[in-house]
């Protein structure tokens, strides 16, 4: 679960970083830059959790070495491919980009609720609780920007 969450966070980081560079609206670009940094922070939290649970570092192959099959370098929160999401947003207006981002964050929030319920140990549950709280904050920030821009 930790490796999967890390991969999804990395995909979302790539998506948000790309979106930030595409937007002419400075307020929206700043929000997506902030979300990029938040996803990087989430990855650090997950790496720390992995180290705490296993007693060892994540290693060079992390997280791909823990996942079956080929590493999913193009996956992101919401079960969407980064490349497909970026292709979809080209030519879309800010409203559409924000709605997609809201949907992805809602999906992520739901996933972390499920992951938090499936792990044992207070430290593990706390990491997923923190991630849920942060995803909820992302939802609030995206929704507030959408409201201001309508």
């Amino acid at each position: 679960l930790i490796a999967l969450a890390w991969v999804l966070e990395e995909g979302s980081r790539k998506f948000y970083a790309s979106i930030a560079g595409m937007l002419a609206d400075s307020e929206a670009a700043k929000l997506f830059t902030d979300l990029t940094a938040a996803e990087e922070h989430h990855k650090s939290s997950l790496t720390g959790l992995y180290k705490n649970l296993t007693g060892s570092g994540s290693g060079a192959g992390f997280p791909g070495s823990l996942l079956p099959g080929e590493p999913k370098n193009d996956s992101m929160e919401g079960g969407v491919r980064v490349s497909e999401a970026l292709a979809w947003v080209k030519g879309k207006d800010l409203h559409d980009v924000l709605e997609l981002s809201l949907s992805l964050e809602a999906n992520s929030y739901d996933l972390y609720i499920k992951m938090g319920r499936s792990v044992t140990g207070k430290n593990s549950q706390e990491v997923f609780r923190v991630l849920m709280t942060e995803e909820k904050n992302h939802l609030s920030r995206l929704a507030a920007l959408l409201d201001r821009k309508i």
Side-chain angles (χ1 to χ4, degrees):
L1 289 176
I2 294 167
L4 174 61
W6 192 98
V7 166
L8 298 176
E9 293 292 339
E10 172 59 11
S12 294
R13 185 202 62 77
K14 289 177 187 176
F15 176 73
Y16 289 143
S18 295
I19 294 298
M22 292 179 186
L23 296 173
D25 184 292
S26 61
E27 183 181 14
K30 166 95 171 76
L31 173 57
F32 281 96
T33 299
D34 291 350
L35 291 173
T36 301
E39 301 300 350
E40 192 64 44
H41 175 73
H42 294 174
K43 287 175 22 190
S44 295
S45 296
L46 289 162
T47 301
L49 174 60
Y50 180 79
K51 184 177 180 179
N52 185 14
L53 290 175
T54 64
S56 65
S58 53
F62 182 83
S65 61
L66 301 175
L67 298 172
E70 293 294 315
K72 314 292 189 263
N73 294 330
D74 195 37
S75 299
M76 61 188 263
E77 297 168 344
V80 176
R81 292 187 179 276
V82 176
S83 56
E84 291 173 359
L86 290 173
W88 185 86
V89 299
K90 286 186 180 170
K92 300 287 193 234
D93 63 17
L94 179 59
H95 181 268
D96 290 335
V97 173
L98 290 170
E99 283 188 342
L100 173 62
S101 299
L102 278 163
S103 174
L104 296 172
E105 288 293 335
N107 232 331
S108 180
Y109 177 71
D110 184 55
L111 177 65
Y112 288 139
I113 289 171
K114 291 175 186 173
M115 286 181 167
R117 289 179 182 155
S118 68
V119 296
T120 57
K122 289 186 180 190
N123 288 344
S124 301
Q125 290 172 344
E126 178 63 13
V127 167
F128 286 111
R129 188 198 62 75
V130 167
L131 289 171
M132 286 181 333
T133 301
E134 291 183 14
E135 299 299 348
K136 191 174 181 180
N137 179 44
H138 298 175
L139 282 165
S140 295
R141 292 182 68 194
L142 286 162
L145 181 61
L146 180 62
D147 285 344
R148 284 193 302 277
K149 298 297 177 177
I150 292 181

